[in-house]
mmCIF file of all heavy atoms in Angstrom:
data_model
loop_
_atom_site.group_PDB
_atom_site.id
_atom_site.type_symbol
_atom_site.label_atom_id
_atom_site.label_comp_id
_atom_site.label_asym_id
_atom_site.label_seq_id
_atom_site.Cartn_x
_atom_site.Cartn_y
_atom_site.Cartn_z
ATOM 1 N N ASN A 131 99.975 95.044 110.773
ATOM 2 C CA ASN A 131 99.322 94.936 109.446
ATOM 3 C C ASN A 131 97.822 95.031 109.684
ATOM 4 O O ASN A 131 97.305 94.597 110.671
ATOM 5 C CB ASN A 131 99.562 93.473 108.867
ATOM 6 C CG ASN A 131 101.118 93.246 108.707
ATOM 7 O OD1 ASN A 131 101.773 92.938 109.678
ATOM 8 N ND2 ASN A 131 101.491 93.280 107.507
ATOM 9 N N ASP A 166 106.595 100.556 104.261
ATOM 10 C CA ASP A 166 106.472 100.341 105.677
ATOM 11 C C ASP A 166 107.569 100.979 106.410
ATOM 12 O O ASP A 166 108.701 100.689 106.197
ATOM 13 C CB ASP A 166 106.291 98.901 106.028
ATOM 14 C CG ASP A 166 105.047 98.148 105.493
ATOM 15 O OD1 ASP A 166 104.166 98.948 105.020
ATOM 16 O OD2 ASP A 166 105.056 96.888 105.499
ATOM 17 N N GLU A 178 110.149 97.409 104.804
ATOM 18 C CA GLU A 178 109.620 96.713 103.664
ATOM 19 C C GLU A 178 109.065 97.623 102.605
ATOM 20 O O GLU A 178 108.603 98.780 102.982
ATOM 21 C CB GLU A 178 108.493 95.801 104.202
ATOM 22 C CG GLU A 178 107.946 94.906 103.009
ATOM 23 C CD GLU A 178 106.645 94.060 103.475
ATOM 24 O OE1 GLU A 178 105.865 94.512 104.237
ATOM 25 O OE2 GLU A 178 106.695 93.003 102.907
ATOM 26 N N ASN A 180 106.378 97.282 99.661
ATOM 27 C CA ASN A 180 105.394 96.341 99.021
ATOM 28 C C ASN A 180 105.125 96.833 97.524
ATOM 29 O O ASN A 180 104.715 97.936 97.343
ATOM 30 C CB ASN A 180 104.112 96.403 99.852
ATOM 31 C CG ASN A 180 104.287 95.913 101.258
ATOM 32 O OD1 ASN A 180 104.291 94.717 101.465
ATOM 33 N ND2 ASN A 180 104.492 96.825 102.208
HETATM 34 MG MG1 MG B 302 104.488 94.942 105.634
#
Side-chain angles (χ1 to χ4, degrees):
N131 302 75
D166 293 346
E178 181 184 39
N180 295 276

